[in-house]
Amino acid sequence: MADPDLVYLDHNATTPVCPEAWEAMLPFLRENWANPSSGYRFARPARQAVQTAREQVAALLGAAPEEIVFTSGGTESSNAAIRSAVALHPDRRHLVTCATEHDATLRPCEELAAQGYEVTFLPVDGEGRIDLAAYEAALRPGQTALVSLMWANNETGVIHPIAAAAAMAHARGILFHTDAVQAAGKVPLDLSETRVHCASLSGHKFHAPKGVGVLYVKSGARFHPSQLGGGQEGGRRSGTLNVPGIAAMGAAAEAARSHLAIDHGALARHRDQFEAELIRRIPGVHLHAARAPRLPGTSNFRLDGVDAQGAILLLDTQRICVSGGSACATGSIKPSHVLTSMGLGSRPARETLRVSLARTTTAEELDSALNALQTAAAKLRTTRA
Ligand code: PLP
């Protein structure tokens, strides 16, 4: 049951399962629990559900159904794309990525660097944007195995110029992967119009359950699988399919697509109102990446002199969920690599909060968060003084 008192404003971390996804998955937990690879009639509904979901996800991405490979989520998809490119080009020892990528991309790239690969981690400016000319200069035809550049950043919402970057890589015979985990379902994507070879998606970021995702592999593009076994997904990702999760993700993709078609601008309007009100009510607010192209529902900002962890705890006592610009890694508070790459010092990063909305977010929820932030800022500033 949904908790009516909860004000959840951390949708870039995960989202609640939407009613469409919930309804779509139940039959495959209750009655139609067959393995979709089995040959008997009992397995047909499961097989059909996987095919329907493939078509629904493809429609969200402007892709063909056969370009959709079901995986366990964004981390697996990005790891698989990177490992595939490296395996396909054993003679190419260079990769290009960006300093603000998610760990699902950074960690495998760092591991390759430790194995002797050269990895260019593109810097970003103060708004979180890459410089396309610097990107182009980093591409090395015949040497670069892969570019991996995220479509949209999970902390700031900054959108990279993926179509242009993919075209530049393609013109030089270089494979291109994009982590589209935060973009899918939030902004229109048309992969058929881009030169992207692989793209990662994660169901739980667009109202499907956790533990299910997609790797898009462009038709005709070569792919080397990481996971070997029963040969499911055309040999591109072995393992018995998570039918309930996949059916749910298909329904969630369809719901996201129809929502995008109806009111693409609503989320941005909500976010902009929230930010305007934040600045009006609280002194010392700095919006991050507000001049860059951004996801419509993400707001990343700093409250001068307010410890973000303290604010998160105070909001939590009122059942309001937001997140910060630093993460607790092995017991110590580490400033986010995204913010430090944008030139923020560790103190401003520790004063940074992220509020992320969904299509279900209401004006009342945002108002409660604004009230709570106003009180928390005043209280934490007094404590410090
Ligand atoms: N990439 C981005 C940009 C993300 O925000 C996340 C999740 O936080 C992931 C990858 C990882 O996805 P998953 O949780 O499905 O492994």
Side-chain angles (χ1 to χ4, degrees):
M1 272 302 276
D3 175 349
D5 295 329
L6 186 74
V7 176
Y8 184 79
L9 295 172
D10 199 16
H11 291 92
N12 287 12
T14 196
T15 57
V17 174
C18 64
E20 294 86 344
W22 183 240
E23 292 298 329
M25 81 188 293
L26 284 181
F28 303 97
L29 293 166
R30 277 196 306 232
E31 309 88 41
N32 294 317
W33 37 261
N35 186 329
S37 303
S38 299
Y40 33 76
R41 277 178 303 164
F42 173 50
R44 270 190 212 158
R47 201 159 43 248
Q48 182 54 48
V50 171
Q51 182 53 23
T52 302
R54 209 181 290 290
E55 289 162 12
Q56 289 167 317
V57 171
L60 178 68
L61 301 182
E66 57 278 10
E67 295 177 316
I68 303 302
V69 178
F70 291 118
T71 68
S72 69
T75 303
E76 179 191 327
S77 297
S78 294
N79 272 262
I82 294 167
R83 291 188 204 292
S84 165
V86 166
L88 288 172
H89 292 295
D91 51 329
R92 298 188 180 193
R93 308 285 292 174
H94 175 239
L95 291 102
V96 176
T97 187
C98 178
T100 56
E101 294 290 315
H102 189 272
D103 280 348
T105 298
L106 289 179
R107 292 281 98 83
C109 286
E110 284 163 9
E111 188 182 79
L112 289 168
Q115 290 167 13
Y117 281 80
E118 197 185 331
V119 183
T120 303
F121 294 94
L122 294 168
V124 295
D125 68 10
E127 297 285 307
R129 298 171 293 207
I130 59 159
D131 174 10
L132 262 186
Y135 160 77
E136 192 170 19
L139 301 176
R140 300 184 200 160
Q143 290 177 33
T144 307
L146 178 75
V147 173
S148 186
L149 190 60
M150 70 200 321
W151 200 297
N153 186 271
N154 44 306
E155 293 188 33
T156 58
V158 169
I159 296 176
H160 286 315
I162 293 302
M168 287 175 182
H170 180 80
R172 290 162 181 79
I174 298 170
L175 292 173
F176 191 97
H177 163 249
T178 183
D179 171 349
V181 164
Q182 292 291 344
K186 296 177 187 159
V187 287
L189 302 181
D190 188 357
L191 292 175
S192 70
E193 290 292 311
T194 70
R195 296 297 194 166
V196 166
H197 294 100
C198 285
S200 304
L201 257 68
S202 172
H204 76 101
K205 307 291 185 178
F206 59 93
H207 303 280
K210 291 154 200 51
V212 64
V214 167
L215 179 65
Y216 159 89
V217 182
K218 204 176 215 40
S219 12
R222 289 198 300 146
F223 181 75
H224 184 90
S226 297
Q227 193 157 305
L228 304 176
Q232 289 89 344
E233 297 297 87
R236 292 169 295 182
R237 198 276 190 179
S238 287
T240 302
L241 292 171
N242 168 5
V243 182
I246 290 169
M249 185 167 58
E254 186 157 298
R257 190 166 68 97
S258 48
H259 193 81
L260 275 174
I262 296 165
D263 196 356
H264 175 208
L267 257 185
R269 282 197 299 278
H270 254 127
R271 190 264 324 270
D272 293 347
Q273 275 163 14
F274 168 80
E275 291 184 342
E277 215 26 44
L278 189 70
I279 290 168
R280 195 183 69 76
R281 293 197 203 179
I282 309 178
V285 174
H286 305 271
L287 301 180
H288 295 152
R291 283 183 292 147
R294 272 193 297 170
L295 287 177
T298 304
S299 180
N300 189 291
F301 56 89
R302 173 167 107 241
L303 299 177
D304 270 344
V306 177
D307 174 56
Q309 290 303 320
I312 290 167
L313 290 177
L314 284 176
L315 265 62
D316 189 32
T317 60
Q318 296 178 50
R319 317 249 318 117
I320 300 173
C321 306
V322 301
S323 66
S326 45
C328 188
T330 58
S332 67
I333 301 288
K334 199 168 158 277
S336 125
H337 69 281
V338 176
L339 299 175
T340 52
S341 302
M342 288 163 62
L344 260 76
S346 66
R347 180 156 152 206
R350 276 189 274 114
E351 296 172 347
T352 293
L353 290 165
R354 178 187 70 185
V355 167
S356 47
L357 286 52
R359 58 180 188 260
T360 45
T361 303
T362 63
E364 290 71 32
E365 288 179 309
L366 292 174
D367 196 51
S368 306
L370 284 162
N371 287 335
L373 282 167
Q374 200 171 357
T375 313
K379 187 166 179 176
L380 292 165
R381 280 174 178 153
T382 322
T383 325
R384 259 172 62 100

